[in-house]
């Protein structure tokens, strides 16, 4: 086992079989070794910084019907809400005041927000705050829409692949197709977004082979961001009586993702913070380096319940901002309020810049 962990640390590479062996045989002592390698790897790429993103959950209306999700279209018990573009802009103003320089605009798949409305909104935000980064997390749309949104100022796009097992994916997503999601992720990358993928741990029927496939897929896609969180059952969904993912299994996947896709930005997810009061702190020590404090207005927060008992439901944006800062510092890390672009994005941009400079000097 130690040879395998050492190999992952030294080479950032494991085969599917090696990952499966690791997941099936890892002991609590091995886990500590894995976390310490993941922490060292994170430090080599990003130091001790933890990047903050202000998360605006702007609509819980969704056309999809994912079996695990509390805001699925068939859940008639959810009180639906949709913030207006002006309200979203107000959240950005407040977030900016609190120091955030990335805003994540997340929603269910709500087609009231047409390409046109989103383009207008992005342009207004970018005009007001040119130096910030905007991350969209609005699900599947056409390539043309993705292009327009990028042109209007969206910098990044989060869309978890959810699971790399086609069979499991199809069981969990009656309204979606496995290949479509992957095509969207590839298109987003092609357009030039910094892309985030990721998956849930502990889904009903999910096997070590499926989790190994999740990591192999990420190694192939090379996303800038990777979100990994435990599945948490929601009682008003068909999976309400299932067992959820554990904190240990999730942390192992976070740490392995850090070793195998070392330059990625990885959030300590709210779902981890929901499973354990120190879940996000454990994640920082296992390779995570981002956190997404919620700046959604308190009046609608509780309605954005993808799973139950989600933390911070009664908090105000400023509570979350300073709570998180205290937690990051207490865990021994540094808050970074900058744009926090991914390592590979910064590296490629720098390379483009240098090669341009080289062309100029040749012509001069
Ligand atoms: N438990 C944990 N995570 C969930 N998500 C949706 N429903 C749940 C749940 N019940 C995750 C999905 C989605 C992200 C926004 O939230 O992975 O991509």
């Amino acid at each position: 086992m130690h040879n395998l962990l050492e190999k992952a640390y030294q080479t950032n590479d494991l085969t599917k079989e090696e990952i499966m062996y690791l997941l099936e045989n890892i002991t609590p002592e091995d886990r500590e070794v894995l976390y310490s390698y993941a922490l060292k790897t994170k430090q080599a790429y990003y130091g001790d910084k933890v990047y903050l993103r202000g998360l605006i959950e702007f609509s819980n209306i969704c056309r999809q019907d994912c079996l695990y999700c509390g805001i699925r279209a068939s859940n008639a018990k959810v009180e639906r809400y949709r913030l207006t573009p002006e309200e979203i802009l107000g959240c950005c103003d407040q977030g900016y005041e609190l120091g955030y320089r990335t805003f994540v605009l997340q929603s269910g798949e709500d087609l009231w927000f047409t390409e046109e409305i989103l383009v207008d909104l992005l342009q207004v935000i970018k005009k007001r705050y040119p130096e910030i980064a905007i991350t969209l997390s609005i699900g599947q749309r056409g390539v043309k829409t993705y292009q327009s949104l990028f042109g209007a100022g969206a910098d990044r796009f989060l869309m978890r692949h959810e699971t790399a097992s086609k069979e499991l994916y199809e069981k969990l997503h009656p309204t979606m197709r496995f290949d479509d999601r992957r095509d969207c992720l590839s298109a987003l990358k092609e357009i030039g977004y910094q892309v985030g993928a990721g998956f849930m741990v502990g889904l009903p029927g999910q096997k070590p082979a499926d989790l190994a496939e999740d990591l192999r897929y990420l190694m192939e896609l090379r996303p800038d961001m990777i979100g990994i969180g435990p599945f948490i059952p929601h009682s008003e969904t068909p999976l309400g009586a299932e067992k959820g993912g554990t904190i240990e299994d999730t942390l192992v996947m976070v740490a392995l993702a850090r070793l195998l896709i070392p330059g990625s930005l990885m959030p300590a997810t709210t779902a981890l913070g929901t499973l354990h009061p120190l879940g996000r702190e454990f994640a920082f020590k296992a390779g995570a380096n981002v956190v997404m404090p919620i700046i959604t207005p308190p009046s609608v927060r509780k309605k954005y319940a993808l799973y139950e008992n989600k933390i911070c439901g009664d908090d105000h944006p400023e509570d979350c901002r300073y709570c998180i800062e205290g937690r990051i510092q207490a865990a021994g890390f540094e808050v970074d309020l900058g744009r926090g672009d991914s390592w590979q994005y910064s590296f490629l941009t720098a390379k483009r810049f240098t090669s341009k400079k080289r062309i100029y000097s040749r012509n001069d």
Side-chain angles (χ1 to χ4, degrees):
M1 178 63 71
H2 278 204
N3 287 348
L4 219 47
L5 295 174
E6 174 84 19
K7 179 190 169 192
Y9 176 55
Q10 296 294 350
T11 66
N12 308 118
D13 190 28
L14 289 177
T15 64
K16 180 175 175 184
E17 289 68 32
E18 287 171 330
I19 300 170
M20 282 168 63
Y21 177 84
L22 209 147
L23 296 179
E24 281 162 355
N25 296 286
I26 196 161
T27 64
E29 296 78 58
D30 300 329
R31 281 205 296 257
E32 295 308 317
V33 176
L34 170 63
Y35 300 157
S36 73
Y37 281 152
L39 180 57
K40 277 201 230 167
T41 303
K42 172 181 75 171
Q43 285 165 334
Y45 282 79
Y46 290 101
D48 276 325
K49 294 192 179 103
V50 174
Y51 299 100
L52 261 50
R53 324 309 199 176
L55 175 62
I56 307 170
E57 299 149 326
F58 66 89
S59 167
N60 69 354
I61 296 171
C62 193
R63 64 175 164 148
Q64 305 292 4
D65 215 18
C66 313
L67 259 53
Y68 45 81
C69 185
I71 63 166
R72 64 199 301 266
S74 316
N75 184 1
K77 295 225 171 123
V78 186
E79 210 184 306
R80 303 284 170 173
Y81 74 90
R82 173 187 289 140
L83 302 186
T84 64
E86 291 68 34
E87 286 170 325
I88 299 172
L89 205 54
C91 294
C92 294
D93 291 338
Q94 202 180 0
Y96 191 88
E97 282 292 304
L98 290 171
Y100 296 115
R101 294 298 177 263
T102 293
F103 300 127
V104 181
L105 305 189
Q106 186 176 88
S107 67
E109 291 201 11
D110 178 359
L111 297 185
W112 183 89
F113 285 94
T114 57
E115 175 179 325
E116 204 186 354
I117 291 177
L118 288 168
V119 162
D120 284 350
L121 177 63
L122 289 165
Q123 285 172 340
V124 177
I125 300 174
K126 270 294 170 86
K127 189 152 177 237
R128 195 173 290 183
Y129 302 117
E131 78 279 26
I132 59 121
I134 303 181
T135 307
L136 292 177
S137 178
I138 58 170
Q140 294 181 204
R141 301 271 178 136
V143 175
K144 196 188 128 283
T145 301
Y146 286 152
Q147 275 163 341
S148 309
L149 300 176
F150 185 72
D155 303 275
R156 308 181 185 140
F157 203 105
L158 297 179
M159 188 161 62
R160 292 189 181 171
H161 65 278
E162 309 298 0
T163 171
S165 151
K166 188 171 197 294
E167 195 191 329
L168 189 55
Y169 187 94
E170 285 173 353
K171 273 193 203 142
L172 296 171
H173 303 98
T175 50
M176 299 203 279
R177 286 206 308 241
F178 182 72
D179 291 332
D180 288 350
R181 194 132 181 117
R182 292 191 165 203
D183 290 347
C184 282
L185 282 164
S186 306
L188 289 162
K189 204 160 182 219
E190 184 71 17
I191 292 167
Y193 284 94
Q194 292 178 59
V195 171
F199 58 93
M200 281 173 284
V201 179
L203 289 164
Q206 192 178 40
K207 301 200 169 54
D210 302 326
L211 291 166
E213 203 54 66
D214 282 315
L215 292 174
R216 292 296 305 181
Y217 171 64
L218 293 172
M219 288 167 78
E220 208 179 290
L221 180 69
R222 296 265 140 206
D224 299 275
M225 304 165 284
I226 299 175
I228 300 173
F231 158 62
I232 304 178
H234 186 300
S235 60
E236 295 298 333
T237 66
L239 304 184
E242 299 287 340
K243 276 215 310 261
T246 66
I247 190 142
E248 289 81 12
D249 290 350
T250 309
L251 291 171
V252 165
M253 296 312 291
V254 168
L256 284 172
R258 170 57 68 204
L259 294 182
L260 298 175
I261 308 97
S264 56
L265 289 160
M266 299 208 307
T269 52
T270 309
L272 264 174
T274 299
L275 276 197
H276 189 286
L278 293 176
R280 288 170 297 178
E281 285 84 338
F282 296 152
F284 298 141
K285 293 180 181 166
N289 62 340
V290 170
V291 68
M292 294 161 55
I294 302 172
I295 53 176
T296 310
S299 55
V300 297
R301 266 180 191 226
K302 284 205 172 126
K303 300 177 192 162
Y304 200 81
L306 310 184
Y307 46 84
E308 283 160 327
N309 306 316
K310 196 171 134 201
I311 49 173
C312 315
D314 289 316
D315 295 341
H316 289 249
E318 57 277 20
D319 303 329
C320 292
R321 163 72 179 78
Y322 297 106
C323 163
I324 290 286
E325 175 159 345
R327 285 168 175 272
I328 292 168
Q329 289 168 347
F333 298 95
E334 285 162 40
V335 172
D336 192 310
L337 280 163
R339 267 177 63 110
D341 288 304
S342 77
W343 183 85
Q344 69 181 21
Y345 177 86
S346 310
F347 183 74
L348 290 175
T349 312
K351 222 161 84 177
R352 265 206 298 278
F353 183 64
T354 341
S355 59
K356 250 194 222 142
K357 267 211 315 220
R358 237 183 265 130
I359 293 165
Y360 286 137
S361 54
R362 221 183 3 208
N363 292 344
D364 280 347

